[in-house]
Amino acid sequence: MQRNPMEKLLELKDLTVSFKNNGQKITVVRQVSLAVEKGEILGLVGESGSGKSVTAKSILGLLNASGKTRVSGKIFLNGKDLLGEKSGQGEKLRSRKLAMIFQDPVDSLNPVFTVGYQIAEVFMAKEKMSKKPAWKKSIEMLKRVEIPSPEWTAKQYPHQLSGGMCQRVMIALALAGTPELLVADEPTTALDVTIQAQIMRLLYDFNEKTGAAILFITHDLGLVAQFCHSMAIMLHGEIIEKGRVEDIFMNPLHPYTRGLLNSIPVPGKKERLRPMAQDLGMDPRSGGCRFFNRCSRKTNQCEWETPNFLEPIPHHFVQCFNMGLSHG
Ligand SMILES: Nc1ncnc2c1ncn2[C@@H]1O[C@H](COP(=O)(O)OP(=O)(O)O)[C@@H](O)[C@H]1O
Ligand SMILES: [Mg+2]
């Protein structure tokens, strides 16, 4: 499927999420601006706790709206701001255009219905099909995700299937809804390596054949290199670098990105890997660079001043005062 560059499907503008815990406000996603173009696979990478899932949940409308959670900024889907829409409208837009798969496929499915019924239900609700043809479509979807004996599988309950099978069912469910964007939050993290590769190939096919864009959340840079068109790197709730995958891998500009890339093994490279200094966790500063504590290139400015996004190379954005200097 041909990608149409420049057509933004999803656009986050200054997305900020904070939680109140025991009267204390913690901001876990800070001023995130990011766009997913129609038909592209964008990898959102970052260490555990950096705010990837909270970002995904804001897009999907899954954060519990309570006095304790505050979401601000804008989430445009095809130009419509999901947060600005009147109540219910945002949900309608989401249900028509978005699908999601998560790390725990067994728990993501409804335990009390067979997997075949859960897929059939999408056709009954969305296309007003009656039970029989919807069931037939459901089997067809299970075939498309290469489930062996789909007729038998359709009659099983989620807990009777393996994690890999349930993730296939989740993908079939997503396919049934013909979404424009699939949000996949660590979809293969809980699976064995061989199953992981099969699921990634299904997702890749999904993108190629339906043209749906994928926001692929992972901490695995190898998967990003293999499957994504563009990527964004998240650190302590902020995006610090974003651009095309080949540009970032060839020429990482942020010291944090360099550290991440240096810590993945390259076949044939004898040089020892250089692990990064350990993350010190909660960062109480309200401004300043989020990599300050671990950065070997920091200057005084970096402690309190937040760098703006620069575009030193077309389509390659970075948030750093001292980027691009050659260093190990
Ligand atoms: N409902 C919540 N209430 C308070 N803190 C939360 C909540 N959900 C997530 N967090 C915190 O937000 C931060 C980012 O979490 P998350 O987005 O899940 O990270 P990850 O990048 O690993 O997906 C973490 O420090 C987490 O503890
Ligand atoms: Mg997560």
Side-chain angles (χ1 to χ4, degrees), residues 82-96:
L82 295 176
L83 298 176
E85 291 290 316
K86 283 196 207 83
S87 66
Q89 287 302 311
E91 280 329 294
K92 241 188 206 162
L93 282 172
R94 283 180 172 111
S95 75
R96 257 188 266 141

Side-chain angles (χ1 to χ4, degrees), residues 17-21 26-29 45-57 63-64 68-69 185-186 217 234 237 282:
V17 182
S18 31
F19 297 109
K20 235 186 208 165
N21 260 341
I26 326 166
T27 301
V28 299
V29 171
V45 236
E47 288 161 300
S48 170
S50 56
K52 307 180 298 294
S53 293
V54 170
T55 303
K57 285 179 188 161
L63 286 178
N64 279 339
K68 290 194 169 162
T69 307
D185 189 353
E186 310 246 13
I217 297 178
M234 207 163 183
M282 264 296 285

Side-chain angles (χ1 to χ4, degrees), residues 256-298:
Y256 176 65
T257 314
R258 289 171 183 232
L260 279 182
L261 293 179
N262 271 334
S263 61
I264 50 173
V266 179
K269 196 174 163 190
K270 293 240 167 58
E271 214 180 319
R272 280 216 334 167
L273 296 176
R274 279 169 296 230
M276 258 192 288
Q278 213 193 336
D279 191 1
L280 299 175
M282 264 296 285
D283 185 346
R285 294 168 305 146
S286 59
C289 174
R290 295 295 133 193
F291 195 49
F292 179 76
N293 288 324
R294 289 188 280 170
C295 187
S296 58
R297 303 211 67 85
K298 64 188 167 203

